[in-house]
Amino acid sequence: MTVNTTVTVRVPAKVNLQLAVGPRREDGFHDLVNVFHAVSLFDEVTVQAASSRRPSPPGGVGSAAEAFAGLTAGGALGSHLSRVPLDGSNLAARAVTLLAERTGRGLPVTVHLDKNIPVAGGMAGGSADAAAALLACDRLWGCGLPLEELLGYAADLGSDVPFALLGATAVGMGRGEVLRPMTSPGRFRWVFALSPHGLSTASVFAEYDRIRPDAPEPLLDRGLADALAGGDPAALGAALTNDLQEAALSLLPELERTLKTGAGAGALGSLVSGSGPTCAFLVGGGAERESVVAEREAAVVAALEGSGLCEQVVTAYGDVPGAAVL
Ligand code: C5P
């Protein structure tokens, strides 16, 4: 029998089409209506048996903490790469330890992250890596867990982790972890402006509490749901909203100029992605002619690149499927 000693999982970034944030709950989290949309910026996460010659002890590793044997990261992300924690605090490392703990299985693994998703950028890159690490270890260790069980472990790791397993488009409720798929007939094209800065999700939520102490209960925007169901890029662009945007702009005011630059160049919709600071621009899709979309996309990319405001400008389409073993 051949035993795999390496498993690689490809996992997408997300952008939020609607992020409605309710008041702060007693547990410190916020109830959300969070319309996640998976886009074609992918990280690849490889887990490798730390020593292929060392057999897994019966019943797995001695303690769950031993399951994580080290982490490396690479990719073409400029200064973003230096923000990736390389120790046990990385969410992908925590995913390895958590799965070993819960299943009592596993052998020590090293984790390599090949990153394309902005780091601390509001596109759930860390959450995506955690989801990929769960799936990769499940496969490497031969656990064969059902998706429902993996989704439960994912929710214990973070609010955005379950969506990275599912992908496509889904509305997240609760703190974002209770997911209901949404269907859309069309594909949409996006431009993303990466900031030279990072923002911590917790600090953006704290700023939101300061600015909006009276936040109402979050509700799904019917106009957005209709635009998605109809595959209508102009209506979708007009319906994009993010309650955290004001808080992200308050912490990094220059983002306002980035948003105006993309909108001024013809984007159909512009918003801060999640807790930021990545800015997302919808440039077309659905039934639009490919040449029309390509022209709009090129104009938005050129304006952003010429603005001197962004570390990098990248294009992607959505939606795409969630984490998958390669
Ligand atoms: O769940 P996750 O670990 O990604 O959350 C990071 C931080 O973002 C939390 O510690 C919390 O401050 C904030 N958060 C929140 N409400 C949510 C999700 C995240 O306040 N629904």
Side-chain angles (χ1 to χ4, degrees):
M1 192 181 80
T2 338
V3 179
N4 277 345
T5 56
T6 302
V7 175
T8 298
V9 169
R10 194 169 88 137
V11 66
K14 61 83 181 165
V15 61
N16 306 86
L17 306 180
Q18 183 194 359
L19 180 45
V21 182
R24 192 172 182 276
R25 311 191 309 202
E26 283 196 348
D27 64 3
F29 285 88
H30 297 71
D31 277 325
L32 306 178
V33 166
N34 193 350
V35 179
F36 294 104
H37 183 71
V39 294
S40 62
L41 289 181
F42 296 101
D43 280 359
E44 284 186 10
V45 176
T46 300
V47 299
Q48 181 166 23
S51 164
S52 53
R53 272 170 297 161
R54 184 164 41 168
S56 176
V61 287
S63 85
E66 288 171 33
F68 170 66
L71 186 141
T72 51
L77 269 178
S79 73
H80 277 235
L81 260 193
S82 62
R83 290 187 212 131
V84 177
L86 299 177
D87 59 9
S89 70
N90 189 297
L91 207 51
R94 283 162 50 196
V96 172
T97 311
L98 181 124
L99 195 71
E101 228 168 59
R102 301 286 169 90
T103 61
R105 299 175 74 145
L107 71 170
V109 293
T110 57
V111 180
H112 180 72
L113 310 177
D114 186 3
K115 292 213 54 80
N116 281 298
I117 307 176
V119 181
M123 297 193 74
S127 300
D129 296 344
L134 275 181
L135 190 59
C137 287
D138 173 70
R139 184 62 62 95
L140 186 77
W141 296 341
C143 305
L145 298 176
L147 178 63
E148 280 308 312
E149 198 171 336
L150 285 175
L151 286 169
Y153 299 152
D156 290 343
L157 287 162
S159 311
D160 290 351
V161 183
F163 174 72
L165 286 173
L166 280 194
T169 302
V171 56
M173 286 159 295
R175 60 184 167 83
E177 84 287 19
V178 184
L179 294 169
R180 196 178 70 216
M182 293 175 83
T183 47
S184 174
R187 270 219 161 146
F188 300 101
R189 286 205 63 89
W190 296 87
V191 174
F192 295 101
L194 277 60
S195 165
H197 309 285
L199 278 176
S200 104
T201 307
S203 66
V204 177
F205 272 102
E207 181 67 0
Y208 178 79
D209 291 335
R210 196 183 66 77
I211 300 172
R212 295 289 307 274
D214 52 351
E217 288 306 319
L219 289 175
L220 179 66
D221 176 354
R222 290 308 335 164
L224 178 102
D226 290 347
L228 254 181
D232 179 343
L236 182 62
L240 299 172
T241 55
N242 178 1
D243 283 355
L244 291 182
Q245 180 160 308
E246 194 187 347
L249 292 183
S250 160
L251 297 175
L252 271 183
E254 73 205 50
L255 295 179
E256 180 121 41
R257 280 166 56 217
T258 308
L259 291 171
K260 283 195 173 136
T261 301
L268 301 177
S270 322
L271 85 174
V272 169
S273 179
S275 55
T278 306
C279 292
F281 303 91
L282 179 65
V283 291
E288 284 190 305
R289 279 220 318 274
E290 188 53 45
S291 58
V292 170
V293 180
E295 202 174 310
R296 208 183 282 128
E297 178 179 288
V300 171
V301 169
L304 290 167
E305 283 182 342
S307 71
L309 294 165
C310 322
E311 168 145 338
Q312 210 176 320
V313 180
V314 296
T315 61
Y317 58 87
D319 55 27
V320 295
V325 176
L326 292 182

